Structures are given as C-alpha cells and as structure tokens.
Amino acid sequence: MTFLSVSDLQVSFSTEDGTVKAVDGVSFNVERGKTLAIVGESGSGKSVTSQAIMALHTGRGTTVTGRIELDGIDIVTASEEKLRSMRGNEMAMIFQDPFSSLHPFYKIGSQLAEAVHAHHKVSKKEAKAEALRMLNKVGISNPEQRLEDYPHQLSGGMRQRVMIAMALINGPELLIADEPTTALDVTVQAQILELLAELQAEFNTAIILITHDLGIVADMADEIVVMYGGRIVEKAGLHDLFYKPQMPYTVGLLSSVPRLDSAGNRLLSIGGQPPSLINLPTGCVFNPRCAAKNPEIAPRCESERPDLREVGENQFVRCHLDDEQREKFATTRLEEVFGGE
Amino acid sequence: MVSDQEILKVTDLYKKFPITKGALLKKEVGSVNAVNGINLTLNESETLGLVGESGCGKSTAGRAILRLLEPTSGKVEFEGTDITTLSRGEMVPMRSRMQMIFQDPFSSLNPRHTVGSIIGAPYEVQGIKPAGGVKNAVRETMERVGLNPEHFNRYPNEFSGGQRQRIGIARAVTLRPKFIVCDEPVSALDVSIQAQVINLLQDLQDEFGIAYLFVAHDLSVVRQISDRVAVMYLGHIVEQASRDDLYTHPYHPYTHALLSAVPVPDPKVEAQRERIVLRGDLPSPINLPSGCVFSTRCWQAQDKCHTDVPELQDMGNGHKVACHFPIMEFLGNSLIIGPDSGMTEQPDRVVPPPSEVLQSLQGGRATRPKGIDYAEGEEPI
Ligand SMILES: Nc1ncnc2c1ncn2[C@@H]1O[C@H](COP(=O)(O)OP(=O)(O)OP(=O)(O)O)[C@@H](O)[C@H]1O
Ligand SMILES: Nc1ncnc2c1ncn2[C@@H]1O[C@H](COP(=O)(O)OP(=O)(O)OP(=O)(O)O)[C@@H](O)[C@H]1O
Ligand code: SF4
Ligand code: SF4
Ligand SMILES: [Mg+2]
Ligand SMILES: [Mg+2]
C-alpha cells in the first residue's frame, strides 16, 4: 500500500481581492524510505501543499478538497483529536520560517521537552535528556547552556537547527522539511542533510523536501515534483529531471542556478513576474513567460490548459509542445548556459 | 568598478553578550564572544562577501558595524569618522548613509504599514523632503527596484517572497546610501528570483556607487557578487582574499572544508563526491578554544595550534590567512603543507583536491547533460 498518497488536492483561500487558488489538482505518492523533492517558484503552492498534508489549513475562508491518505488514514476527514496525536509524532514538519515557529517567550529547552511530553509519558529528566541529545545531533555547541536560551539569543541558523531538532525528536514516519537549511552554512547543512539521511535509514522515514537549492535536490531526492502557479508542471525521477528536463519552466530553473564560473556576469533569470493566483493567465499558466512558446503553438498555449501527461517512464509534463520540440528547446538552452564538453 | 576611495575601516571590533543568572539581581556569569577582534576595509562600489559557519558572528558583526548593536570595543570609521564615538543624535544623519537589508522578507516588514509608507519611512525619520515630494520619490524608487508603483498602497502580505525582498531593498536604498550590510538577502528566495535580486543589487551598486558587506551562505552567490571575500570562524576572520584567489587557492583548512561542502546541482557529481566532514569537539563562543579557534576540528592541528594564536598573515597579493600551517598545494590526494609544519604523517582521510571540486562546480555540472541524444546536424555548437 502506498504510504502517503495525495490526489487531486485543491486549496483555496478567500481574500478581499477574490479567491486565491493556491493549489489546484496536485497529486503524488511518497513511499516509506523515499524522498520526494518539491521545487518551484516562490508562491507556487509548495508550502500550502505541505501544510495541507499536516492538516494545518484550519483558517476561516480556507477550503481544502481532494484526498490525502497517510498510512491508510484520511487526513482531510480525520478528527482534530486524531490529527493532534499524529502531528509531531507520526508526521512532523520543519517549517520554512524559524522566526515565527518558535515561541519567543519560552526557553528552547522547555519547548523541546514539551514536544517530547506531548506524545510520550516520560519524566522531566528524561525529556530534558532527549532535548540535549537532539541539540547535540543538530550540532549545537554547549547544549546545556543553550537549553536556557530564548530564541532571540540564538543566531538564525541555530534557531533553524532547534526547529529541526523539534521535528525529529519523536522519530516521525513522515517528515516534511520546508526549506530546512536556508539559514545554514554549507558544512552545517551537509551535517543536517546527513542527519536526515540517517534518520531515514533508521526509521524508514518518508521525506518531503521543499527547497530551492537544486544542489540539495541532487543530493537527496528520489523523485521530484516541479510546481508552478499552484499546479504540478513536471514530475520525474532524479536523473530524468536533471538530465532530461521537459517543461520549459524546469529548463529555466536549471539555467538560473548561479555558477562559480559565471562570477561577475549577470545571472540568467526567467523574465517576467509570477502569475497572480487570483487571475491566472488563460491557457498554460506559464505562457506569459515562456521562451519555448513559438508562433505556431502560441494560440494554443494562450487558450488551452495543457494536461499533465506521461512523456517517458514515470516522467510527466504539462506542456503543449511535442517531444521533439521540448527536447530541442531544453538541449539548446542548457547548452547555451552550461556550454559543450 | 571598485574605486580606490576607502569608505569603511573596521579595527579590532569586539562584541560580547553577557550571560546572566538570577531573575532579579542579574549576575554576570560569563559571556558569548560573538565577534572577537575583526579588521576589515571596504572601498566605494566594492562588495565584500562574508561567509562562515552558522553562529560564527556574521550578523552580529554587521549589526555592530552599523551600531544597531553597541560594539564592546573597537573602531568603525565610516568616511573618516569613528562612528563608535558619536552620540545618538549624531548617529541619525549617519543612518541615511549606511543601511541594512535583512535576511527575512517575512518578518522584517511591518504588516500594518503600506508598502509606500515602509519605503518612504527613511525620509520621515531623517526629516528630508525630496524635490517633488515623498510620494513621487518613493514611486521612483519602487520603479527602480522592479516594483509596480501602482502598488503603493498595498500591504506586505499581498506580495510574494521575492517582491517583499525588493521592498526591503527599496527601503534600504531610498536615501541613496553609500554602504549597505546585506544579511543573507537572497537565501529565502528561489533561484530565479535570487538571480533577479542579485542583478538588481549589482545595478544599484553601479548606479549609486554603494559598498556592500554581503553576508551569505551560498558560496556560488557570494562568488557571483563579491570583489573580495572574508571567511569567519568563531568570531574571527580566518581568511580574506580577492574573490578569485579565495576560490581557486584557499589556504585555510576551514575554507577548504567550506568549499568541499557546496552542494552541486548534478546528481552524478553528488553521488560520487567526497566532502571534508568536520569532526572533533564543536567549539563554543562561550569558552573559546586556546590557540587557533579552528584547532578543535582541524585535521592538521599540531601542538602549536592548541597554544599559539595564529595571526592573520599576508601571503601576497593581499591574500591573508590566520593559520600556522596554511595549505599550500594539493598533489593528488596528499596535502603539501606550509614549510614549518613539522607534520610527518598524512591526514588519515583523503581530502578532495579543491580543483576537482571546483571543476565540478564550474558550469554547475561536471559534464553536459547526459542522456540527451542529439539528432545529427542538430547538435548545438
Ligand atoms: N492564508 C493565506 N491567505 C491567502 N493567501 C495565501 C495564504 N497562504 C498562502 N497564500 C498564498 O498562496 C500562494 C502559495 O503560497 P505558498 O506559501 O505555498 O508558496 P511557496 O511555493 O511555498 O513559496 P515560497 O517558495 O516563497 O515559500 C501564495 O501566493 C500565497 O500568497
Ligand atoms: N541578542 C543576543 N543575546 C545573546 N547572544 C546573542 C545575541 N545575538 C546573537 N548572540 C550569539 O552570538 C553568536 C553569533 O550570532 P550571530 O547571529 O552573529 O551568528 P551568525 O554568524 O549570523 O549565524 P547565522 O549564520 O546562523 O545567522 C551566537 O552564539 C549567538 O547565540
Ligand atoms: S504549453 Fe506553451 S506556454 Fe506552456 S510551457 Fe509549453 S510551450 Fe510554454
Ligand atoms: S592553525 Fe593549526 S589548527 Fe588552526 S587552522 Fe591552521 S593548522 Fe588548523
Ligand atoms: Mg514556502
Ligand atoms: Mg545571521
């Protein structure tokens, strides 16, 4: 049985300006012990998708439809009590924003101990020992001293590591890591990624990793979902995505990575602005910015929404171009950027 | 173009945070030594990248230089004036010339203020009335950073992460400062928006001659934007050099460790590469190690390293390093270490030569995309 299955997930928020369709028809599966990476533009719905899996969309005016099944339990219809017992235990999340996810008025020691207490009947002493152990694991020096610190006394990266310790403390079966290492230098980052891999090996954890760092994706992911404008525009295995990207947006993403030899030159970026989720462009959501759209295909791109279709073994893409056209665009663009042999 | 006009000179800057015990009678029981005597200079239109381990004092250094935090000791000369001696009142006009862009586009903007009033705030604080009125000036700045001036009356939560970062940048450049501390300005952004923001910062630098102290974790981003790079470890600058020298010929073992850990956006390279994994005791800013600050984790530490503090020495061409045994050269898998190393054994781990790592980083991928078969005559040149 599939461990986590998300199908036709839709999340919308009603706001003063109109309804924001933040996630529209997203489907994917994640098996135990595997890592799914979600990449995509800022505002494309990555965090909203993962928050839906944690059943965190409880605000008024928020609508969540579709199915989310975790180990046979339907998250969308589960009772709040059931969800509370699962959050932080079977499923845990490292939040994107470490500043607002730690309580400013409590010492980090008591916040960590509380995370243990919430799910296990343990003594104060045991909870503290567990907190210490985790702080050590995430590479915080002087952990005894740090247990007494308030969040504002920690550096940005230390706060992020405390968040990570909190998410891992109960050995979750599903871990959602939303930009888990943005505040960390590369050596600490490598250590944290290693820790995640260890955890995964030990508990057979399924990981959903959201990151804009394609280097981390290359290191960690088994499968990748690319999101744009609230929908999946490409889904592929690790190697296919990096070496045979299909969707023009994915190609653009791969070519805007800063490279060491491009130092001092202007970086390539995908021109234009992200789409408004209230007023999505008609046709392909990416069409106003698409460099692959040729005059021949343009009318279709501008009027007809492409479906997500399978174009290779386990590779799906949402684009009107045919195989040859897509491949030609990808090859030419990547050669332009990365040069030949 | 970097000018030869020095704009900022930081001498022996220290910042300690006291650790107190007791609820009412706060007794000082120690201190966090966040910044321990750093020296740096910056010219007009120059960008100095600042990299280093999480918690090593980069943000604290940036804030202390701007006096957003009071330095414990040291001098910060900005355009010839030591600003650490200025009174609060005397600092106000200085603030219009030195600014900060914060790491976090989510919490650094007041959600209750409109974008127009956020960007225009510096005029009010400084009591400056731009020709043509504040509103026009703000619109002009918005336009300059790629925001739609029509969105003057919108609130921050109506903008995406990248746009919010532009708002932060607009606020920082409103008064056309000469110096900006950028604390991880792009780490919260996706690569495509990252590229737009970096390009924007470079354009603004060209246009207004701004000097940047650019704190970031992403070494490719730092290489992209910096003229010189300083590497910090535990409150000390351990290496400083021109961008190209630092990336092609690092001397300090910690710099080697950093470069070896850069993730490469290429699955095949990632699967094969070796990283220098730092082991040994994590050092603490509360009890600084004796001797070299890196000695608790350095794989080539000798007795001397645990007792003598290495001074920052110039290796030529302004490339400075604080290490008793700077790494001179890599030959295959063995290290050639400085002349007085006295080191007889090779380290027990194979350290990847940086050239190999760098090669794999250059171009972002080691080889051209595999698995794409070119049809005849279609192969791009
Ligand atoms: N509570 C909310 N009310 C209204 N709109 C919201 C709410 N939460 C998210 N959104 C909108 O939904 C869209 C998707 O947001 P989401 O946070 O999922 O983006 P993301 O892909 O995680 O981007 P980033 O890479 O910047 O974190 C955004 O346009 C955002 O403004
Ligand atoms: N207000 C404060 N009170 C006490 N200690 C502090 C305070 N601010 C920072 N520190 C300590 O100073 C040290 C340096 O922190 P700083 O934020 O400068 O690190 P950083 O290099 O910016 O790290 P990061 O890359 O994680 O943001 C840390 O040990 C931190 O705990
Ligand atoms: S459908 Fe058209 S606009 Fe959309 S990605 Fe494909 S070519 Fe570009
Ligand atoms: S001085 Fe010694 S411990 Fe410090 S970096 Fe150099 S070799 Fe390593
Ligand atoms: Mg997000
Ligand atoms: Mg910081």
Side-chain angles (χ1 to χ4, degrees), chain A residues 22-24 26 28 38-41 44-47 49 225-234 249:
Chain A
V23 174
D24 195 357
V26 162
F28 56 78
I38 307 183
V39 300
E41 189 146 71
S44 61
K46 306 182 294 294
S47 298
T49 300
V225 154
V226 184
M227 286 188 71
Y228 188 88
R231 51 203 76 208
I232 294 179
V233 293
E234 181 157 4
Y249 172 69

PDB file of all heavy atoms in Angstrom, chain A residues 22-24 26 28 38-41 44-47 49 225-234 249:
ATOM      1  N   ALA A  22      -4.541  28.519  -4.386  1.00  0.00           N
ATOM      2  CA  ALA A  22      -3.109  28.338  -4.141  1.00  0.00           C
ATOM      3  C   ALA A  22      -2.613  26.985  -4.627  1.00  0.00           C
ATOM      4  O   ALA A  22      -1.480  26.851  -5.065  1.00  0.00           O
ATOM      5  CB  ALA A  22      -2.805  28.507  -2.659  1.00  0.00           C
ATOM      6  N   VAL A  23      -3.472  25.959  -4.525  1.00  0.00           N
ATOM      7  CA  VAL A  23      -3.103  24.631  -5.000  1.00  0.00           C
ATOM      8  C   VAL A  23      -4.270  24.094  -5.803  1.00  0.00           C
ATOM      9  O   VAL A  23      -5.416  24.139  -5.364  1.00  0.00           O
ATOM     10  CB  VAL A  23      -2.794  23.680  -3.821  1.00  0.00           C
ATOM     11  CG1 VAL A  23      -2.559  22.264  -4.310  1.00  0.00           C
ATOM     12  CG2 VAL A  23      -1.584  24.171  -3.042  1.00  0.00           C
ATOM     13  N   ASP A  24      -3.988  23.612  -7.006  1.00  0.00           N
ATOM     14  CA  ASP A  24      -5.061  23.218  -7.888  1.00  0.00           C
ATOM     15  C   ASP A  24      -4.772  21.863  -8.529  1.00  0.00           C
ATOM     16  O   ASP A  24      -4.028  21.759  -9.504  1.00  0.00           O
ATOM     17  CB  ASP A  24      -5.243  24.302  -8.965  1.00  0.00           C
ATOM     18  CG  ASP A  24      -6.560  24.153  -9.697  1.00  0.00           C
ATOM     19  OD1 ASP A  24      -7.291  23.178  -9.414  1.00  0.00           O
ATOM     20  OD2 ASP A  24      -6.860  25.001 -10.554  1.00  0.00           O
ATOM     21  N   VAL A  26      -3.310  18.866  -7.270  1.00  0.00           N
ATOM     22  CA  VAL A  26      -1.984  18.274  -7.098  1.00  0.00           C
ATOM     23  C   VAL A  26      -2.109  16.814  -6.639  1.00  0.00           C
ATOM     24  O   VAL A  26      -2.869  16.515  -5.728  1.00  0.00           O
ATOM     25  CB  VAL A  26      -1.163  19.104  -6.080  1.00  0.00           C
ATOM     26  CG1 VAL A  26       0.020  18.315  -5.539  1.00  0.00           C
ATOM     27  CG2 VAL A  26      -0.698  20.399  -6.728  1.00  0.00           C
ATOM     28  N   PHE A  28       0.365  13.225  -5.901  1.00  0.00           N
ATOM     29  CA  PHE A  28       1.637  12.491  -5.891  1.00  0.00           C
ATOM     30  C   PHE A  28       1.610  11.449  -4.784  1.00  0.00           C
ATOM     31  O   PHE A  28       0.751  11.482  -3.907  1.00  0.00           O
ATOM     32  CB  PHE A  28       2.843  13.425  -5.719  1.00  0.00           C
ATOM     33  CG  PHE A  28       2.791  14.308  -4.497  1.00  0.00           C
ATOM     34  CD1 PHE A  28       3.085  13.808  -3.244  1.00  0.00           C
ATOM     35  CD2 PHE A  28       2.455  15.664  -4.616  1.00  0.00           C
ATOM     36  CE1 PHE A  28       3.053  14.620  -2.120  1.00  0.00           C
ATOM     37  CE2 PHE A  28       2.411  16.481  -3.493  1.00  0.00           C
ATOM     38  CZ  PHE A  28       2.708  15.961  -2.237  1.00  0.00           C
ATOM     39  N   ILE A  38      10.053  18.828  -3.653  1.00  0.00           N
ATOM     40  CA  ILE A  38       9.161  19.751  -4.364  1.00  0.00           C
ATOM     41  C   ILE A  38       9.943  21.028  -4.626  1.00  0.00           C
ATOM     42  O   ILE A  38      10.452  21.656  -3.696  1.00  0.00           O
ATOM     43  CB  ILE A  38       7.894  20.078  -3.548  1.00  0.00           C
ATOM     44  CG1 ILE A  38       7.174  18.797  -3.098  1.00  0.00           C
ATOM     45  CG2 ILE A  38       6.949  20.949  -4.365  1.00  0.00           C
ATOM     46  CD1 ILE A  38       5.875  19.054  -2.344  1.00  0.00           C
ATOM     47  N   VAL A  39      10.071  21.388  -5.896  1.00  0.00           N
ATOM     48  CA  VAL A  39      10.749  22.626  -6.237  1.00  0.00           C
ATOM     49  C   VAL A  39       9.765  23.507  -6.999  1.00  0.00           C
ATOM     50  O   VAL A  39       8.703  23.042  -7.424  1.00  0.00           O
ATOM     51  CB  VAL A  39      12.016  22.394  -7.101  1.00  0.00           C
ATOM     52  CG1 VAL A  39      13.012  21.521  -6.376  1.00  0.00           C
ATOM     53  CG2 VAL A  39      11.650  21.784  -8.445  1.00  0.00           C
ATOM     54  N   GLY A  40      10.105  24.754  -7.186  1.00  0.00           N
ATOM     55  CA  GLY A  40       9.216  25.615  -7.948  1.00  0.00           C
ATOM     56  C   GLY A  40       9.299  27.006  -7.427  1.00  0.00           C
ATOM     57  O   GLY A  40       9.896  27.288  -6.395  1.00  0.00           O
ATOM     58  N   GLU A  41       8.653  27.892  -8.177  1.00  0.00           N
ATOM     59  CA  GLU A  41       8.778  29.292  -7.892  1.00  0.00           C
ATOM     60  C   GLU A  41       8.190  29.685  -6.543  1.00  0.00           C
ATOM     61  O   GLU A  41       7.267  29.048  -6.040  1.00  0.00           O
ATOM     62  CB  GLU A  41       8.028  30.030  -8.977  1.00  0.00           C
ATOM     63  CG  GLU A  41       8.263  31.485  -8.922  1.00  0.00           C
ATOM     64  CD  GLU A  41       8.257  31.996 -10.319  1.00  0.00           C
ATOM     65  OE1 GLU A  41       7.179  32.021 -10.890  1.00  0.00           O
ATOM     66  OE2 GLU A  41       9.329  32.327 -10.819  1.00  0.00           O
ATOM     67  N   SER A  44       4.354  29.318  -5.536  1.00  0.00           N
ATOM     68  CA  SER A  44       3.728  28.337  -6.420  1.00  0.00           C
ATOM     69  C   SER A  44       2.878  27.322  -5.667  1.00  0.00           C
ATOM     70  O   SER A  44       2.273  26.455  -6.276  1.00  0.00           O
ATOM     71  CB  SER A  44       4.795  27.616  -7.244  1.00  0.00           C
ATOM     72  OG  SER A  44       5.683  26.935  -6.392  1.00  0.00           O
ATOM     73  N   GLY A  45       2.869  27.387  -4.332  1.00  0.00           N
ATOM     74  CA  GLY A  45       1.991  26.497  -3.575  1.00  0.00           C
ATOM     75  C   GLY A  45       2.688  25.340  -2.883  1.00  0.00           C
ATOM     76  O   GLY A  45       2.035  24.410  -2.411  1.00  0.00           O
ATOM     77  N   LYS A  46       3.998  25.390  -2.769  1.00  0.00           N
ATOM     78  CA  LYS A  46       4.742  24.294  -2.146  1.00  0.00           C
ATOM     79  C   LYS A  46       4.419  24.192  -0.658  1.00  0.00           C
ATOM     80  O   LYS A  46       4.100  23.125  -0.155  1.00  0.00           O
ATOM     81  CB  LYS A  46       6.254  24.499  -2.335  1.00  0.00           C
ATOM     82  CG  LYS A  46       6.668  24.696  -3.784  1.00  0.00           C
ATOM     83  CD  LYS A  46       8.165  24.856  -3.930  1.00  0.00           C
ATOM     84  CE  LYS A  46       8.749  26.122  -3.315  1.00  0.00           C
ATOM     85  NZ  LYS A  46       8.342  27.375  -3.950  1.00  0.00           N
ATOM     86  N   SER A  47       4.511  25.321   0.029  1.00  0.00           N
ATOM     87  CA  SER A  47       4.239  25.292   1.474  1.00  0.00           C
ATOM     88  C   SER A  47       2.779  24.991   1.742  1.00  0.00           C
ATOM     89  O   SER A  47       2.456  24.228   2.656  1.00  0.00           O
ATOM     90  CB  SER A  47       4.615  26.629   2.119  1.00  0.00           C
ATOM     91  OG  SER A  47       5.984  26.870   1.971  1.00  0.00           O
ATOM     92  N   THR A  49       0.771  23.191  -0.011  1.00  0.00           N
ATOM     93  CA  THR A  49       0.583  21.756  -0.205  1.00  0.00           C
ATOM     94  C   THR A  49       1.016  20.984   1.027  1.00  0.00           C
ATOM     95  O   THR A  49       0.302  20.114   1.537  1.00  0.00           O
ATOM     96  CB  THR A  49       1.407  21.259  -1.420  1.00  0.00           C
ATOM     97  OG1 THR A  49       0.958  21.955  -2.577  1.00  0.00           O
ATOM     98  CG2 THR A  49       1.253  19.766  -1.640  1.00  0.00           C
ATOM     99  N   VAL A 225       9.004  16.857  -7.905  1.00  0.00           N
ATOM    100  CA  VAL A 225       7.806  17.485  -8.427  1.00  0.00           C
ATOM    101  C   VAL A 225       8.137  18.958  -8.632  1.00  0.00           C
ATOM    102  O   VAL A 225       8.714  19.586  -7.754  1.00  0.00           O
ATOM    103  CB  VAL A 225       6.663  17.305  -7.395  1.00  0.00           C
ATOM    104  CG1 VAL A 225       5.641  18.389  -7.541  1.00  0.00           C
ATOM    105  CG2 VAL A 225       6.031  15.940  -7.518  1.00  0.00           C
ATOM    106  N   VAL A 226       7.831  19.482  -9.805  1.00  0.00           N
ATOM    107  CA  VAL A 226       8.062  20.902 -10.066  1.00  0.00           C
ATOM    108  C   VAL A 226       6.716  21.604 -10.074  1.00  0.00           C
ATOM    109  O   VAL A 226       5.805  21.193 -10.803  1.00  0.00           O
ATOM    110  CB  VAL A 226       8.749  21.123 -11.437  1.00  0.00           C
ATOM    111  CG1 VAL A 226       9.063  22.599 -11.654  1.00  0.00           C
ATOM    112  CG2 VAL A 226      10.013  20.283 -11.546  1.00  0.00           C
ATOM    113  N   MET A 227       6.580  22.635  -9.255  1.00  0.00           N
ATOM    114  CA  MET A 227       5.291  23.337  -9.207  1.00  0.00           C
ATOM    115  C   MET A 227       5.389  24.722  -9.819  1.00  0.00           C
ATOM    116  O   MET A 227       6.412  25.390  -9.747  1.00  0.00           O
ATOM    117  CB  MET A 227       4.800  23.456  -7.758  1.00  0.00           C
ATOM    118  CG  MET A 227       4.289  22.134  -7.217  1.00  0.00           C
ATOM    119  SD  MET A 227       3.508  22.283  -5.602  1.00  0.00           S
ATOM    120  CE  MET A 227       1.992  23.149  -6.003  1.00  0.00           C
ATOM    121  N   TYR A 228       4.311  25.133 -10.429  1.00  0.00           N
ATOM    122  CA  TYR A 228       4.213  26.492 -10.958  1.00  0.00           C
ATOM    123  C   TYR A 228       2.747  26.903 -10.908  1.00  0.00           C
ATOM    124  O   TYR A 228       1.880  26.145 -11.359  1.00  0.00           O
ATOM    125  CB  TYR A 228       4.735  26.554 -12.404  1.00  0.00           C
ATOM    126  CG  TYR A 228       4.829  27.971 -12.910  1.00  0.00           C
ATOM    127  CD1 TYR A 228       5.980  28.725 -12.714  1.00  0.00           C
ATOM    128  CD2 TYR A 228       3.740  28.575 -13.544  1.00  0.00           C
ATOM    129  CE1 TYR A 228       6.051  30.038 -13.137  1.00  0.00           C
ATOM    130  CE2 TYR A 228       3.801  29.888 -13.969  1.00  0.00           C
ATOM    131  CZ  TYR A 228       4.964  30.621 -13.766  1.00  0.00           C
ATOM    132  OH  TYR A 228       5.027  31.917 -14.167  1.00  0.00           O
ATOM    133  N   GLY A 229       2.474  28.080 -10.360  1.00  0.00           N
ATOM    134  CA  GLY A 229       1.108  28.590 -10.324  1.00  0.00           C
ATOM    135  C   GLY A 229       0.105  27.630  -9.696  1.00  0.00           C
ATOM    136  O   GLY A 229      -1.011  27.498 -10.193  1.00  0.00           O
ATOM    137  N   GLY A 230       0.482  26.944  -8.623  1.00  0.00           N
ATOM    138  CA  GLY A 230      -0.455  26.099  -7.892  1.00  0.00           C
ATOM    139  C   GLY A 230      -0.636  24.704  -8.463  1.00  0.00           C
ATOM    140  O   GLY A 230      -1.425  23.926  -7.958  1.00  0.00           O
ATOM    141  N   ARG A 231       0.065  24.390  -9.549  1.00  0.00           N
ATOM    142  CA  ARG A 231      -0.082  23.036 -10.088  1.00  0.00           C
ATOM    143  C   ARG A 231       1.256  22.391 -10.385  1.00  0.00           C
ATOM    144  O   ARG A 231       2.282  23.064 -10.460  1.00  0.00           O
ATOM    145  CB  ARG A 231      -0.965  23.046 -11.337  1.00  0.00           C
ATOM    146  CG  ARG A 231      -0.548  24.063 -12.371  1.00  0.00           C
ATOM    147  CD  ARG A 231      -1.693  24.436 -13.266  1.00  0.00           C
ATOM    148  NE  ARG A 231      -2.619  25.336 -12.585  1.00  0.00           N
ATOM    149  CZ  ARG A 231      -3.914  25.423 -12.861  1.00  0.00           C
ATOM    150  NH1 ARG A 231      -4.453  24.691 -13.803  1.00  0.00           N
ATOM    151  NH2 ARG A 231      -4.672  26.274 -12.204  1.00  0.00           N
ATOM    152  N   ILE A 232       1.204  21.070 -10.544  1.00  0.00           N
ATOM    153  CA  ILE A 232       2.424  20.357 -10.905  1.00  0.00           C
ATOM    154  C   ILE A 232       2.628  20.521 -12.408  1.00  0.00           C
ATOM    155  O   ILE A 232       1.737  20.231 -13.191  1.00  0.00           O
ATOM    156  CB  ILE A 232       2.310  18.863 -10.541  1.00  0.00           C
ATOM    157  CG1 ILE A 232       2.238  18.710  -9.025  1.00  0.00           C
ATOM    158  CG2 ILE A 232       3.482  18.076 -11.112  1.00  0.00           C
ATOM    159  CD1 ILE A 232       2.093  17.274  -8.544  1.00  0.00           C
ATOM    160  N   VAL A 233       3.800  21.007 -12.802  1.00  0.00           N
ATOM    161  CA  VAL A 233       4.061  21.149 -14.234  1.00  0.00           C
ATOM    162  C   VAL A 233       5.028  20.089 -14.739  1.00  0.00           C
ATOM    163  O   VAL A 233       5.132  19.849 -15.935  1.00  0.00           O
ATOM    164  CB  VAL A 233       4.583  22.563 -14.600  1.00  0.00           C
ATOM    165  CG1 VAL A 233       3.498  23.606 -14.364  1.00  0.00           C
ATOM    166  CG2 VAL A 233       5.856  22.913 -13.843  1.00  0.00           C
ATOM    167  N   GLU A 234       5.774  19.485 -13.815  1.00  0.00           N
ATOM    168  CA  GLU A 234       6.613  18.361 -14.216  1.00  0.00           C
ATOM    169  C   GLU A 234       6.857  17.463 -13.015  1.00  0.00           C
ATOM    170  O   GLU A 234       6.965  17.935 -11.881  1.00  0.00           O
ATOM    171  CB  GLU A 234       7.960  18.844 -14.789  1.00  0.00           C
ATOM    172  CG  GLU A 234       8.854  17.700 -15.233  1.00  0.00           C
ATOM    173  CD  GLU A 234       9.903  18.086 -16.279  1.00  0.00           C
ATOM    174  OE1 GLU A 234      10.016  19.267 -16.623  1.00  0.00           O
ATOM    175  OE2 GLU A 234      10.608  17.165 -16.739  1.00  0.00           O
ATOM    176  N   TYR A 249       9.615  25.606 -18.033  1.00  0.00           N
ATOM    177  CA  TYR A 249       9.892  26.246 -16.744  1.00  0.00           C
ATOM    178  C   TYR A 249      11.037  25.539 -15.999  1.00  0.00           C
ATOM    179  O   TYR A 249      11.917  26.182 -15.444  1.00  0.00           O
ATOM    180  CB  TYR A 249       8.636  26.275 -15.856  1.00  0.00           C
ATOM    181  CG  TYR A 249       8.965  26.762 -14.456  1.00  0.00           C
ATOM    182  CD1 TYR A 249       9.337  28.089 -14.242  1.00  0.00           C
ATOM    183  CD2 TYR A 249       8.984  25.893 -13.364  1.00  0.00           C
ATOM    184  CE1 TYR A 249       9.710  28.540 -12.985  1.00  0.00           C
ATOM    185  CE2 TYR A 249       9.349  26.332 -12.105  1.00  0.00           C
ATOM    186  CZ  TYR A 249       9.705  27.661 -11.925  1.00  0.00           C
ATOM    187  OH  TYR A 249      10.079  28.089 -10.689  1.00  0.00           O
TER     188      TYR A 249
END
